[in-house]
């Protein structure tokens, strides 16, 4: 951290279900009526909203008074400028850490679970009450951290994006995507023309999510990478064999030097990371996109296994 500039704690959150219902229906009474019509209870939604607000209040109170602070909603992440001295506190489900990771470059991330027992806790490892103990250790560079591999997508015009879980390349409206797939730098490299529902390229973190779901239903799926392993897994979804398209080269692994390249052979293809479809790259006919292990990795703050210091 800078010797002259106080750290900035940036809290990242997303709107609660109650917030979204109020945007849509205007009042709690109207939201409650809407939920009752679908066999749900407003009290449950209120309880979850209050848990999130309580966690945000606790995190806010944990920031030292002489430190700088910021707060950004998930929807505003593409427009928010993170600084190198920032400490990120993501308060929400595991997916929120993945949402913010793509906009960072080695800043430490503390994942806070506002609803213990509801989330898997793979990326949100701490209760809000742990943040007051963690922040000084993180600022001093003494907190335990875990490096998580990311996936990088680069267009031939230089545009790029990265993802913590996975990058999806396919048609923007989920129609059949047509492209030429080319694998290089790995054993079993090859090339095949496809018409498919798109390609998913995932990391070891993504191996617990979408990639795991695809692999479970696929005979002969490659072993999924571990969270910190410099490797990726990739899957072609619903490849359609025809006289001009194949369905043989549909899954595999990429190591640190591996490269998966797609050349668009239809319009309307897009690439986005970690489910954020609004922040995407667009491929025109003949344009190429290359997917590799990203040169940077997420720094996730984790419980110190040497003692009881900052864990749950």
């Amino acid at each position: 951290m800078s010797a002259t500039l106080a750290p900035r704690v940036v809290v990242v959150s997303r709107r609660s279900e109650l917030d979204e219902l109020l945007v849509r229906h205007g009042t709690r009474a109207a939201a409650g009526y809407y939920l009752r019509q679908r066999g749900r209870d407003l009290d449950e939604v209120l309880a979850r909203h209050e848990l999130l607000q309580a966690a945000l209040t606790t995190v806010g109170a944990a920031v030292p008074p002489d430190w700088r602070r910021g707060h950004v909603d998930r929807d505003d992440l593409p427009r928010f400028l993170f600084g190198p001295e920032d400490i990120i506190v993501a308060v929400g489900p595991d997916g929120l850490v993945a949402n913010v990771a793509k906009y960072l470059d080695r800043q430490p991330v503390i994942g806070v679970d506002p609803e213990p027992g509801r989330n898997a806790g793979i990326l949100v490892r701490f209760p809000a009450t742990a943040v007051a103990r963690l922040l000084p250790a993180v600022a001093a560079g003494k907190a335990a951290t875990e490096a998580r591999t990311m996936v990088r997508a680069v267009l031939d015009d230089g545009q790029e994006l990265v993802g913590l879980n996975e990058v999806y390349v396919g048609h923007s409206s989920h129609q059949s995507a047509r492209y030429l797939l080319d694998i290089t730098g790995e054993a079993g490299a090859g090339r095949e023309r496809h018409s498919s529902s798109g390609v998913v390229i995932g990391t070891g973190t993504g191996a617990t999510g979408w990639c795991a779901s695809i692999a479970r239903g696929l005979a002969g799926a490659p072993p999924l990478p571990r969270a910190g392993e410099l490797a990726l897994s990739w899957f072609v979804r619903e490849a359609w064999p025809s006289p001009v398209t194949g369905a043989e080269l549909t899954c595999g692994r990429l190591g640190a030097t591996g490269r998966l390249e797609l050349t668009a052979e239809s319009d309307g293809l897009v690439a986005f990371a970690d489910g954020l479809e609004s922040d995407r790259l667009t491929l025109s006919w003949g344009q190429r996109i290359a997917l590799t292990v990203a040169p940077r990795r997420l720094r996730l703050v984790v419980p110190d296994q040497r003692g009881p210091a900052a864990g749950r």
Side-chain angles (χ1 to χ4, degrees), residues 179-264:
Y179 54 86
L180 176 66
L181 181 145
D182 198 346
I183 306 293
T184 59
E186 300 292 318
R191 171 182 289 197
E192 189 171 59
R193 182 164 278 105
H194 284 163
S195 175
S196 80
S197 298
V199 184
V200 178
I201 306 93
T203 67
T205 301
T208 63
W210 196 1
C211 285
S213 177
I214 298 173
R216 276 197 295 269
L218 185 64
L224 299 178
R226 300 181 302 276
E229 185 180 357
L230 294 175
L232 307 171
S233 57
W234 59 271
F235 301 91
V236 176
R237 301 173 63 225
E238 301 170 319
W240 177 256
S242 76
V244 294
T245 59
E248 298 297 323
L249 195 60
T250 57
C251 63
R253 280 173 59 103
L254 296 173
T257 61
R259 176 185 177 99
L260 184 153
E261 186 173 276
L262 299 178
T263 302

Side-chain angles (χ1 to χ4, degrees), residues 28-79:
R28 290 192 178 188
Y33 175 78
Y34 172 82
L35 291 173
R36 286 194 300 274
Q37 295 298 106
R38 286 152 180 78
R40 296 187 61 199
D41 191 337
L42 182 63
D43 288 344
E44 175 200 350
V45 174
L46 284 170
R48 295 186 61 201
H49 174 81
E50 289 168 359
L51 284 172
L52 174 60
Q53 295 306 309
L56 290 170
T57 298
T58 300
V59 168
V63 180
D66 57 337
W67 287 20
R68 298 172 299 138
R69 62 181 69 205
H71 185 202
V72 57
D73 184 84
R74 183 186 71 164
D75 292 344
D76 296 324
L77 284 171
R79 296 175 291 278

